[in-house]
């Protein structure tokens, strides 16, 4: 494609409102333009990359046995009222009226629509299972759209839905989708993790988020440095075994610790390490009060605490409750001499402590030489803390590291959440009406594009991986006014096109410096520059990402490109 | 693809609200489902055909030098206010508010958006010309959505926009687009005409509609039975040369014609042919009154009358004006003895009349043996009537026929209509700010799909042309319970897939009758049936459109298919 004929406006300045690299570079390199807050147009380069990602998604979905369809963006409010989401979805759901004053939602997601189609058309176990998907613009009225394509209000999404007779069948499709997602993000060149996620209010036991590792991500991932294990930080179990020191037990002592508020201050005052202190926090778990003990350097994971008690509700106890039950405020709590009204539980790490310190339930005093079992009782030891960097990975392989992640995909076993509410049932092989089981599987296509840029850029611009690059080769003619340069560049352009290589030809009447800067910014993987040596049939070959460059004979260009791309 | 795994619900009954064949068949054969009035989901088969049409459009657009982009559906109201269309577009434009109460339109078309992008990004003649397109869902709140995909409220459209420095350049791109459109509709297998259309309020001299010939179309086309000439009926010039009879002129006579109201009644009463009468109608053209004469069997074309006087306004004169100026009502008008206040013009056909009849401007009386030139004067003879079937084609080749047409495409020279209002200017090679010229080019992609069905069906279902068929081959295994049938069908399915032939495999546990009926309904071009002769390695080969069928060796299947498809 000739650059002179293309809408490809580059910017030298960083747009004022673009905080992150993908937003800055996609704007500067002429891939996108904003039309309203969180709403973008894809210029020709952007559309090309989007289509590359789309095609990868489509191929992997087809391979996984999903069938493409296309649902409408306009959705009658009645459907959303059936599941209750017309009210619960909140202001993120964009709503409008037609000329006859009927209410519609603009598709933020399509569970209601697909379930209504399936309940009308599928009535027998013979027609199950079934997986469909679509690639389509979605609408969500984000309160604070930001980060360019990462959090927009109109964005391209792939959403898939599966329907099943049994949980075994749902499990099978879930795994197929999981594998397809892994293929998709791998083919996009992304460094990502499939992360165990919290199923929240949706029920169903399994859900994974696919996270692209990036500093600008809004989630924290705990992942293994050697295996594929990764989880949202709140979901990761701690499997550390704590060794108890063989130090002899000293006599319990109560000491004055005036004005020492934090665990750190107390440890310093008493002259021991932070991890030799016992941290005590009082929680209200449903109607009961529970004191939770962790080591001084650890943090309570409230999701784990909630699961331990299988509780519906959990929160910190109020200062008032704390004083009533323990006779002191937050700063001096400890497990010694606690009334029967308060159950004491502790993280496994506490069990291994010897001659530790803890609050004395008396303002300005702590105990030292505290020993669990001897000085206080615990009703349960359990895994109650957040995992930390350096902990062993829960799968037994490697060590945990933290990373920030951008959620680009989500697979979810919905179970009967929608099919129950919308009466999507079928006759099973016994002729009995049975509610279908459902799974849903989303990919943010435009967000994936931006995530790739977050991982593939340098100071000069984007460095696309070949699979998703808008073109494979950027052909520059430095001075088209010189006949031999023009001729050689034109000739190479024809040859590359004939060879089926995607080539952008910078044939513009611009200075060489402008052409080089634009080329780096746009980030096409390979660059061929026709310059002063055109007369001798020599061109410059450059790999964008590595910067590696060399002079080659123009007759070698296609062979060299094929070699690099394979 | 295995039919048992697909969402492909067929219906035996015609849906009650489906008036036309494409709507009925696309519903019955499981291509689409309605979710609200004028809003459809494309099931997997429908999506496949839509993608085939999309790909044809995309290839031809790319070939014509247009670059694909993707604009947002959500459009800020401010842009529509710049061109005034926020008010003039009316209730067809769907509107909504975001959570901050800002107004948006849902894209019915994208002239405003693309013009705003171009004015921001293109400032020099060096960056012109430029043609971009997108394929995207559009929204129009039709008052009466009907005919399935032909007139919906959310539909898939390809819209292209070009920007130019000069009219010559716009003309060139217009021609390229015209040619691309011809290729697209030809590749879709459509019997269509590019029709000269009225440019209406948009200004600019050239506009063509691409019309698919169909009885259910809402427009009338006048086309040549031998050449490619076609025009919207109101745009077609009449080139008939009328021969004057050499009958000798008789003496003018005034006769009583009591109670004879219509031209036909008068002709019968006077004992002559309808075409021997002169029809006179009084028009108000801007501020003047004009009597228009045509032959009794012809109809005045008001577009031609308007153009003759280059008028801004044209309408029939009121009964009151008619009585005041001519002394009589509508039924007895004629050109003889008309006052100077009324200009008389006539269609060319009138000039050739000899011894004709006309109204006497007196209730219940007509003149006979009227001869133009002798009995009345005419200020201008011109082409003032609608063309009729049997007239010579305006391009001199063949004879005019009428047809009904479905508008599937439209190419339009917009000139400065939008660029003026939105200040889209550039610096020309003299450094002078100049308003850009613009063209726009639309194709109704989903409407094209439905139009194909209107032209390709029979009593049993759809008969897709191969280029746009969802699959090339429908493979039926009649009784998969019989081992030899199952085995041969499975084997053929694998072979066809390996050969890269798109195949739908009906592996369902259904009766043979159901499979045959569904296959005819769905309309895949070629059918391979594995039945009773499977043991001998013989299958039935059938061409859906012609019904032609034969038994062939299973080893011949791929060769035979390749032969038929090429």
């Amino acid at each position: 494609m000739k650059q002179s004929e293309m809408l490809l406006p580059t910017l030298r300045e960083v747009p004022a409102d673009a905080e992150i690299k993908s937003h800055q570079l996609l704007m500067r390199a002429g891939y996108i333009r904003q039309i309203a807050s969180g709403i973008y147009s894809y210029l020709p380069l952007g559309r090309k990359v989007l289509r590359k990602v789309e095609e990868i998604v489509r191929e992997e979905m087809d391979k996984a046995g999903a069938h493409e369809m296309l649902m409408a963006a306009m959705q009658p409010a009645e459907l959303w009222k059936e599941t209750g989401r017309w009210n619960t979805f909140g202001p993120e759901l964009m709503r409008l009226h037609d000329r006859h004053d009927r209410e519609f939602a603009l598709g933020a997601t399509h569970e209601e629509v697909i379930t209504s189609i399936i309940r009308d058309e599928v009535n027998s176990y013979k027609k199950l299972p079934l997986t469909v998907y679509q690639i389509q613009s979605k609408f969500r009225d984000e309160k604070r759209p930001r980060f360019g394509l990462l959090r927009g209000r109109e964005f391209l999404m792939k959403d898939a839905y599966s329907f099943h007779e049994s949980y075994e069948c749902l499990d099978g499709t879930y795994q197929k989708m999981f594998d397809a997602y892994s293929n998709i993000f791998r083919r996009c060149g992304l460094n990502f993790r499939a992360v165990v996620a919290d199923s929240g209010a949706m029920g169903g036991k399994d859900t994974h988020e696919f996270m692209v590792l990036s500093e600008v991500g809004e989630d924290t991932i705990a992942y293994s440095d050697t295996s594929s294990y990764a989880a949202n930080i709140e979901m990761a179990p701690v499997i550390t075994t704590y060794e108890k020191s063989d130090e002899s037990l000293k006599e319990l002592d109560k000491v004055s610790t005036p004005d020492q508020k934090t665990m750190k201050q107390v440890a310093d005052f008493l002259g021991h390490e932070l991890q030799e202190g016992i941290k005590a926090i009082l929680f209200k778990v449903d109607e009961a009060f529970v004191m939770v003990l962790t080591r001084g350097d650890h943090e309570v994971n409230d999701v784990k605490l909630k699961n331990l008690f299988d509780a519906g509700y959990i929160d910190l106890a109020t200062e008032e409750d704390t004083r009533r039950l323990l006779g002191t405020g937050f700063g001096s709590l400890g497990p010694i001499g606690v009334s029967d009204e308060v159950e004491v539980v502790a993280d496994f790490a506490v069990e291994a402590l010897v001659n530790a310190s803890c609050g004395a339930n008396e303002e300005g005093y702590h105990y030292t030489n505290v020993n669990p079992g001897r000085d206080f009782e615990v009703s349960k030891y359990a895994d109650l803390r957040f995992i930390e960097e350096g902990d062993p990975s829960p799968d037994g392989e490697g060590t945990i590291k933290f990373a920030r992640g951008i959620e680009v995909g989500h697979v979810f076993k919905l179970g009967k959440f929608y099919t129950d509410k919308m009466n999507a049932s079928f006759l099973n092989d016994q002729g009995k009406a049975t509610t279908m089981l459902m799974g849903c599987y989303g990919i943010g296509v435009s967000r994936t594009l931006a995530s790739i840029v977050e991982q593939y850029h340098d100071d000069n611009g984007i460095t696309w991986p070949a699979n998703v690059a808008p073109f494979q080769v950027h052909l520059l003619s430095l001075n088209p006014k010189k006949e031999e340069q023009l001729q050689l560049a034109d000739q190479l352009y024809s040859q590359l096109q004939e060879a089926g290589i995607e080539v952008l030809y910078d044939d513009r009447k611009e200075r060489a410096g402008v052409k080089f800067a634009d080329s780096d910014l746009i980030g096409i993987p390979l660059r061929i520059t026709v310059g002063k040596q055109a007369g001798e049939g020599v061109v410059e070959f450059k790999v964008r990402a590595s910067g590696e460059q060399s002079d080659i004979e123009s007759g070698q260009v296609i062979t060299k490109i094929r070699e690099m791309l394979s």
Side-chain angles (χ1 to χ4, degrees), chain A:
Chain A
M1 209 164 271
K2 289 187 176 176
Q3 205 162 331
S4 64
E5 296 171 1
M6 218 171 157
L7 178 60
L8 202 171
T10 54
L11 310 170
R12 289 287 160 262
E13 303 295 317
V14 175
D17 61 336
E19 301 166 58
I20 63 169
K21 278 292 173 184
S22 61
H23 190 189
Q24 293 169 3
L25 290 172
L26 289 169
M27 291 286 294
R28 286 187 53 209
Y31 286 77
I32 59 171
R33 282 298 180 266
Q34 183 178 291
I35 186 182
S37 169
I39 303 177
Y40 293 85
S41 292
Y42 297 84
L43 304 191
L45 275 189
R47 184 68 184 115
K48 275 195 173 285
V49 180
L50 210 53
R51 275 185 46 81
K52 293 271 171 103
V53 178
E54 274 179 51
E55 275 314 307
I56 290 173
V57 170
R58 194 168 267 132
E59 282 174 27
E60 294 296 335
M61 284 295 109
D62 291 347
K63 224 185 280 176
H67 296 151
E68 188 175 1
M69 56 184 293
L70 180 62
M71 292 178 265
M74 299 261 302
Q75 306 184 359
E78 290 71 33
L79 289 178
W80 286 74
K81 288 175 182 168
E82 282 189 52
T83 61
R85 292 211 292 180
W86 183 255
N87 293 321
T88 58
F89 210 95
E92 285 193 11
L93 189 65
M94 305 201 95
R95 297 154 209 249
L96 72 162
H97 292 82
D98 73 3
R99 67 198 294 159
H100 305 295
D101 223 30
R102 287 192 203 95
E103 289 175 310
F104 286 85
L106 272 188
T109 174
H110 279 73
E111 281 85 4
E112 281 81 358
V113 176
I114 188 63
T115 306
S116 85
I117 292 173
I118 296 295
R119 82 172 155 197
D120 289 347
E121 306 299 344
V122 175
N123 41 34
S124 157
Y125 72 99
K126 289 185 203 166
K127 295 181 177 173
L128 294 175
L130 203 63
T131 308
V132 292
Y133 75 98
Q134 60 175 350
I135 299 175
Q136 187 208 38
S137 287
K138 293 280 190 282
F139 303 85
R140 282 185 207 170
D141 202 357
E142 293 282 347
K143 192 167 183 182
R144 221 164 74 80
R146 59 184 173 147
F147 293 166
L149 300 185
L150 285 189
R151 192 166 288 281
R153 298 200 288 172
E154 179 174 342
F155 50 94
L156 201 64
M157 196 168 156
K158 187 283 301 176
D159 45 329
Y161 307 92
S162 69
F163 294 86
H164 308 270
E165 197 181 345
S166 70
Y167 278 104
E168 292 68 34
C169 184
L170 172 55
D171 290 347
T173 297
Y174 184 87
Q175 188 57 46
K176 269 190 208 167
M177 285 290 148
F178 187 100
D179 295 343
Y181 275 40
S182 302
N183 291 341
I184 288 165
F185 298 121
R186 194 157 40 231
R187 288 177 63 185
C188 288
L190 286 166
N191 182 11
F192 69 97
R193 297 282 172 150
V195 166
V196 177
D198 186 17
S199 58
M202 288 290 204
K205 63 180 186 323
D206 280 341
T207 170
H208 285 85
E209 292 162 351
F210 284 77
M211 293 279 193
V212 169
L213 304 186
S214 166
E215 279 171 23
V216 304
E218 296 178 288
D219 295 87
T220 300
I221 307 162
Y223 71 98
S224 162
D225 62 356
T226 54
S227 79
S228 68
Y229 180 84
N232 197 308
I233 187 176
E234 58 187 20
M235 296 299 292
V238 174
I239 63 156
T240 307
T241 50
Y242 306 94
E243 288 194 13
K244 199 162 183 160
S245 121
D246 52 7
E247 195 184 335
S248 58
L249 307 193
K250 297 184 189 159
E251 200 175 327
L252 185 69
D253 198 9
K254 187 171 172 182
V255 296
S256 166
T257 50
D259 301 327
Q260 308 307 312
K261 305 283 184 199
T262 66
M263 292 301 295
K264 183 76 173 67
Q265 287 169 342
V266 172
D268 288 347
F269 184 84
L270 297 174
H272 65 63
E273 297 297 316
L274 188 58
Q275 62 195 56
E276 292 172 286
I278 296 171
K279 188 193 292 183
I281 298 177
L282 190 66
F283 280 88
K284 190 166 186 196
V285 177
D286 289 333
E287 294 310 303
F289 289 92
V290 176
M291 179 183 280
V292 182
L293 309 180
T294 60
R295 228 166 58 184
D297 58 329
H298 289 158
E299 296 296 330
V300 176
N301 179 328
D302 44 0
V303 171
K304 289 180 179 177
L305 180 64
K306 195 176 172 194
N307 289 341
L308 179 69
F309 285 92
D310 199 14
Y313 165 88
I314 191 175
D315 204 355
L316 292 173
T318 60
E319 176 98 21
E320 192 188 336
D321 282 333
T322 306
R323 288 198 180 277
R324 179 174 55 81
L325 290 162
L326 300 170
T328 185
F330 290 149
S332 315
L333 300 187
I336 298 177
V338 165
S339 84
D340 287 352
E341 278 186 85
V342 176
E343 181 175 352
V344 179
V345 297
D347 181 64
F348 289 125
V350 174
E351 199 172 11
L353 292 177
V354 174
N355 300 328
S357 74
C358 70
N361 294 327
E362 187 180 341
E363 208 102 0
Y365 286 91
H366 276 76
Y367 286 112
T368 57
N369 302 328
V370 177
N371 286 287
R374 184 191 73 178
D375 302 323
F376 64 90
E377 291 301 324
V378 160
S379 75
K380 282 176 206 150
Y381 285 105
D383 169 20
L384 287 175
R385 69 168 173 95
F386 275 108
I387 203 163
E388 294 189 341
E389 286 196 292
D391 277 327
S393 175
D395 68 348
E397 295 179 50
T399 298
I400 285 297
K401 286 185 177 293
F402 283 176
R404 306 292 290 173
I406 302 165
E407 185 193 336
V408 287
H410 200 163
V411 291
F412 214 121
K413 292 183 190 168
L414 294 170
K416 300 182 180 176
F417 192 86
Y418 294 95
T419 49
D420 244 350
K421 292 189 173 73
M422 296 184 74
N423 293 319
S425 67
F426 65 99
L427 295 180
N428 68 13
D429 58 0
Q430 312 293 315
K432 203 182 142 215
T434 312
T435 303
M436 290 180 206
L437 296 167
M438 187 173 172
C440 75
Y441 319 91
I443 288 181
V445 177
S446 40
R447 187 183 278 184
T448 297
L449 184 159
S451 302
I452 298 169
V453 178
E454 286 298 333
Q455 291 194 341
Y456 288 89
H457 68 263
D458 61 19
D459 289 346
N460 299 322
I462 307 174
T463 58
W464 292 110
N467 271 352
V468 293
F471 296 90
Q472 304 305 306
V473 174
H474 203 174
L475 174 66
L476 274 52
S477 90
L478 286 197
N479 189 349
K481 280 178 201 156
K482 303 242 171 172
E483 186 55 28
E484 72 273 15
Q485 291 192 25
L486 179 67
Q487 214 165 12
L488 182 57
D490 279 354
Q491 185 193 325
L492 281 170
Y493 180 54
S494 302
Q495 286 172 356
L496 287 163
Q497 285 190 306
E498 275 160 32
I501 293 165
E502 297 168 312
V503 55
L504 178 64
Y505 177 20
D506 190 348
D507 59 334
R508 295 175 303 161
K509 295 185 186 70
E510 295 282 359
R511 285 180 300 110
V514 170
K515 292 190 178 192
F516 284 134
D518 280 350
S519 182
D520 282 349
L521 195 54
I522 291 168
I524 295 168
L526 303 176
R527 192 178 82 193
I528 306 291
T529 307
V530 178
K532 284 183 184 156
Q533 298 181 79
E536 298 96 75
V538 171
V539 300
E540 186 198 84
F541 182 91
K542 187 180 172 190
V543 180
R544 170 67 186 88
S546 67
E548 179 197 331
Q549 75 187 58
S550 55
D551 288 342
I552 61 171
E553 302 274 324
S554 65
Q556 298 297 308
V557 163
I558 289 185
T559 316
K560 179 83 176 168
I561 288 170
R562 289 234 165 96
E563 187 189 307
M564 295 300 296
L565 292 177
S566 68

